[in-house]
Amino acid sequence: MEQIKTYIDQIAAISKSDWNFFSSKLLRRTIPKKTIFLKINEVENHISFIESGVVRLYIPKENPDKEITFGFSFEDQFISAYDSFLTQKPSLYQLQTLTETSLLSISYKDLQEVYKTTQIGNLIGRLTAERLFLIKSKREQNLLNLTAEERYLKLFKERPELIKIIPLKYISSYIGVTAQALSRIRKRL
């Protein structure tokens, strides 16, 4: 719980009573490595804070080699099929752990209660949503403005530990190239 408290403290000052109410709604979940914990067409009912682990967001395909990985979330970040969470409609993609992952999760219903009951809930919700939007916007801009090689270098400059954790087939999909093209990029570097 200390990690999420530290994260929230960086966003805004939270009263003890608001923290106690919010933290009472959090459920700790430990999810084994390589587990799909939200499947396509399921409604996302949680937003979760990653205490440890790595999660992949992807669009499944009949041929697993054609899956489209479009996001990763790491320790001290929030994870959710956020569009499904907000609309309470079925997700168009899946969430999968790449390592054993520990999450602190809050349900949609409980989060609405936090918004109504606490003074700080709406501010934290808005600021968290803004951070998720900025991550998404940055990725889109990178896809539009950078070459595949530049996207690869930027990814590992920002997150050098990825090469040890994330299979190259997911990285190639994430930066928008085939596994063969990524192999050629890596050989040039």
Side-chain angles (χ1 to χ4, degrees), residues 31-36 96-101 165:
I31 303 172
K33 180 179 181 176
K34 294 188 179 182
T35 300
I36 297 168
Q96 178 188 39
T97 58
L98 297 182
T99 62
E100 181 177 277
T101 302
I165 301 170

Side-chain angles (χ1 to χ4, degrees), residues 13-23 114 117-121:
I14 185 169
S15 71
K16 187 171 179 121
S17 62
D18 282 359
W19 167 252
N20 289 339
F21 185 78
F22 172 71
S23 63
V114 167
T117 307
T118 66
Q119 292 182 353
I120 198 76

Side-chain angles (χ1 to χ4, degrees), residues 20-144:
N20 289 339
F21 185 78
F22 172 71
S23 63
S24 74
K25 303 295 183 188
L26 296 174
L27 169 70
R28 179 170 278 115
R29 302 187 290 165
T30 300
I31 303 172
K33 180 179 181 176
K34 294 188 179 182
T35 300
I36 297 168
F37 64 101
L38 180 77
K39 294 181 179 163
I40 200 163
N41 293 321
E42 291 180 349
V43 174
E44 174 66 275
N45 194 40
H46 293 93
I47 188 165
S48 301
F49 181 82
I50 302 174
E51 289 186 300
S52 65
V54 179
V55 176
R56 170 173 86 117
L57 296 82
Y58 73 103
I59 300 167
K61 301 290 182 185
E62 275 189 40
N63 178 349
D65 292 335
K66 304 282 185 189
E67 291 176 346
I68 302 167
T69 298
F70 64 91
F72 300 105
S73 287
F74 307 93
E75 184 175 309
D76 295 332
Q77 293 182 337
F78 282 92
I79 183 66
S80 179
Y82 198 56
D83 46 350
S84 174
F85 181 79
L86 290 174
T87 63
Q88 291 294 280
K89 293 192 171 152
S91 177
L92 300 175
Y93 52 93
Q94 297 189 155
L95 303 180
Q96 178 188 39
T97 58
L98 297 182
T99 62
E100 181 177 277
T101 302
S102 177
L103 303 173
L104 289 172
S105 301
I106 188 167
S107 71
Y108 181 85
K109 178 180 164 278
D110 283 345
L111 186 59
Q112 302 314 306
E113 196 176 334
V114 167
Y115 288 161
K116 287 179 200 163
T117 307
T118 66
Q119 292 182 353
I120 198 76
N122 281 313
L123 176 62
I124 292 170
R126 188 192 88 221
L127 293 174
T128 300
E130 287 172 359
R131 285 184 180 196
L132 290 170
F133 169 78
L134 291 173
I135 290 167
K136 182 181 181 336
S137 177
K138 182 178 173 185
R139 168 154 164 71
E140 289 171 356
Q141 290 174 42
N142 286 343
L143 283 171
L144 294 170

